Amino acid sequence: LSPGTRIGPYEIVAAIGAGGMGEVYRATDTRLKRAVAVKALHESFALDAERVARFEREAQLLASLNHPNIAAIYGVEEVQGTTFLVLELVDGPTLADLLKASAMPRHEAVSCARQIADALGAAHERGIIHRDFKPGNVMVTPEGQVKVLDFGLGKALEGEGSFASNSGAPFANSPTLTRAPTQLGMILGTGGYMSPEQAKGRPTDRRTDIWAFGCVLFEMLTGSRAFEGEDVTETLAAIVRGEPDWTRLPADLPPSLRMLLERCLLKDRALRLADMSVVRFLLSDTGVSLSTATAAVGTNAGVGDPGDPRPTWRRMAPAILSTALATALLAFGLTRWFGSPGGAMGPSGAVRARSAHVSIALPEGYELGSTHLRPIAISRDGTRIAYVGQRDEKNRIFVRTLDDPEARALDGTDGGDGPFFSPDGQWIAFFAGSKLKKIAVGGAAQQTLAEAPSQRGGAWGDDGYLYFAPTNMSGIWRVPEGGGAATEVTRPDAAGGEVSHRWPQRIAGTPQLLFSVWTGPGDDEHHVAVQTLSAGPHRRLVTGGDAPQYAANPGLLLYTHRGQLFTVPWRPGAQDLGKAVPVAAAEWPSDGIGNEGCGNYTVSDDGTLLYLRGGRSSAAQRLVWIDRAGALTPLPLPARIYENVAISPDGSRAVIQIREGIVRLWIFDFASGTLTPIGPGAASSQAAQWTADGRRVIYRGTRGGTRNLYWIPVDGSSGEERLTAKPGVIQTPTSASSDGRFLLFAEHGPEEPEGVGAWVLPLTGDRTPRRLFPLPATGHDGQFSPDGRWIAYHAMVSSRMEIFVAPSTGSGERRLVSTAGGTEPLWSPDGRELFFQSGSRLMGVTLTPGVTPRMPPGGTFSASSPRLVHEGRFLQTVTGNTSFALTPDGTRFLRIQPVDPEPAITRIELVLDWFAELRRQTTKRAE
């Protein structure tokens, strides 16, 4: 392109250079008056569909990245069949240019490496792997800022490609060899910086970029490439079979930096550093510095002769083990114990340094599942972690030993949640299929121990028992670790307003049991209690607290409240507590949607803190209309914690459930825009349903330790009236019949085979409830059809909820409606459609023409295959009944949507020697 050529609003100024993909020009954005870079695909490649696809993918990948060390993309232009990328113009040489003369000074190399690690780490966190990282793809500005370029190979190509060969080309532009990624022979990347797995045509992951980073860091420190050859073939052979010339590294290079290089360039990627966050940590100025690590290792015997041909990390192994470095080193490339002036003494006389923060990535494609049921666990000695990985909305338990770079899924744990370790760390207990189970950490000898229909946490005591909350309205129970009958340990005090006990912790070496006490679902209705086993009732320690744990070494009681972690001095048996102190920078979320009080943190005996940070939660939501075309319109209400909505029969109002301390119900008038509270203000009310005439609202009220059914006039003419009185269960209204005669409700209690049963309550005459389906049949979230002949509900089938329709009499054949899972059914007002949730999708079925619920007795029910109505991230039920509503004319859905929802949680945060951090914070406050 000649100067003056216009590409849309961009005017070409001069050519900058050319690479394997295209030509790059300096240009002027005539609208915004700024300099930009314009990248054009080579003319010779324009007809190659595969290369065009790569070029377009580069645009998409770059647009998804926003980081100061990654060159930004401003737009895409197409002129006369040629596609152009408009990019941030980075003034300065490439790293390849800087390395032509000689190696970089060490401080410049480390500074550059830190910025590169930040860029690659940010991309990895978005699930993007560069796969073609090299010095030519790094720009350095005169101010020393690094910009990583060209993510055009960030995704493996799909479809057949060409096997190109150009051995005469310079290695900075050596050819990219491609085949379909699942076929033998796929090679993707630039020759001199390819990882061994790329050279062998094997699948790649983020460790591929870590290898390339190691190659680049080696080159920055030595001025020569780690792997060289006269042509592509020889270089690939060196990568697969050879070793870098380690003697080229500076003689005064810190052993820890050399160790970092060697761990990046291990051919066996199972031993290679597994996460860029480790590289960033080791290169950072904060936490444990490289010089500190050097001091810790350098003073130990057994390092060996510097001329020893073995890699440094192997020569240093005895010293590392003798200073207790091995556990964390092999897992994260960092150490748990370092020499540090003024630090506390650790095992074997090693000096414990300040705490270290590490971020652990889940396997690619997985996110944390069951975040409201504590999906993480750490062994008491801090050497193993377990977590719930979710993919395609299916859970599995993963375990990772900290001397293993990868986590391993445990067979037989499908659908599992809430893992916790045995005291010796050799077993993992978890909940699945309404059962409490255990499995060896190696994945064998699975055993079912007890019933747990809707668990709320467990802990493995050192007395040979597992303690657990089998439901969300029970006390704490225990079962022998070898199997046997489960027995009740604590019982909620109904007279004291308690509705459940949950999240137990058996304090080692004592007869004390810590747990949460709930008097209602609101944050201020949660408390921390302790009970001496076999020695009387429990007593409350903290008002307004959840998820208690005891840390014996510092003598601290830990608990959470409203998403904040607190510590308070306390010893088991003591009557009084010290002053509660919030932990600085405790950035983990609340318990995710559902807010079950799990806290999402756990601490090992040696002070290793495991917790979640960020991710999806129930805070900051809005109410929105969604029409049949998928168009979304927010309601004129501020963002709050909305949990449930129901539209009145005439469509003029909605009853909305809002959590603010306690959970209350509000009436929103669509015409006036007013929001008015309804019901008592000092106790929680949830899961509202309208009566058929729109004059009353029926709801679940938490009153005096029970969760039974109430109703109240909407006009405020009188107070609430209790409809049922049955302690020890949770009753939730799900649907009122259109004739005003009956209410369907769910009863959650120990007598139900799945924990929840469908019941019918007459609203006139004798209000004696009856079970809808005779045992052992059961059903969740029952919904009357508009004419009252049918009931839609969801029930468990092969470890998955599905939608069924059955006669409202409770007898007769039930028909399966969903095909790939479903919850939260809702009829259309005319009864010709049935909607339900299936993951992030709202599905609908239409009744077969001529076969509708408005049939005479003896008719049959038939429905179409499910179709997608709309899709998106909206609130799933937190109360057990349908969380969304449909207008009386059937044209719009009222739904709850997170405001700026955070991405799924794909990382777990680990803090080594967290107790040291707490001590520093305590000292700082005292000063």
Side-chain angles (χ1 to χ4, degrees), residues 800-811:
R800 184 172 68 185
M801 289 293 184
E802 298 283 5
I803 301 294
F804 292 88
V805 171
S808 60
T809 59
S811 61

Side-chain angles (χ1 to χ4, degrees), residues 370 372-376 417-421 429-431 435-436 451-460 466-479 500-506 513-516 547-549 596-599:
S370 302
H372 63 299
L373 296 174
R374 192 181 291 162
I376 55 175
D417 57 40
F420 55 97
F421 281 94
F430 65 99
F431 300 91
K435 311 286 186 182
L436 171 63
E451 299 288 329
S454 55
Q455 67 92 5
R456 291 301 184 269
W460 201 315
L466 283 77
Y467 295 80
F468 66 105
T471 75
N472 64 347
M473 38 70 66
S474 69
I476 306 300
W477 288 59
R478 73 178 184 180
V479 63
S500 76
H501 294 167
R502 53 186 68 193
W503 311 116
Q505 187 206 16
R506 176 75 158 78
L513 181 71
L514 283 171
F515 52 92
S516 297
Q549 292 195 40
E596 294 297 334
C598 70

Side-chain angles (χ1 to χ4, degrees), residues 5 61 72 114 185 201 217 315 353 384 535 562 578 614 668 695 740 891:
T5 303
L61 289 171
R114 288 174 185 148
L217 179 57
R315 288 188 281 114
R384 286 190 174 98
R562 297 191 178 184
F668 180 66
R695 303 169 107 181
T891 61

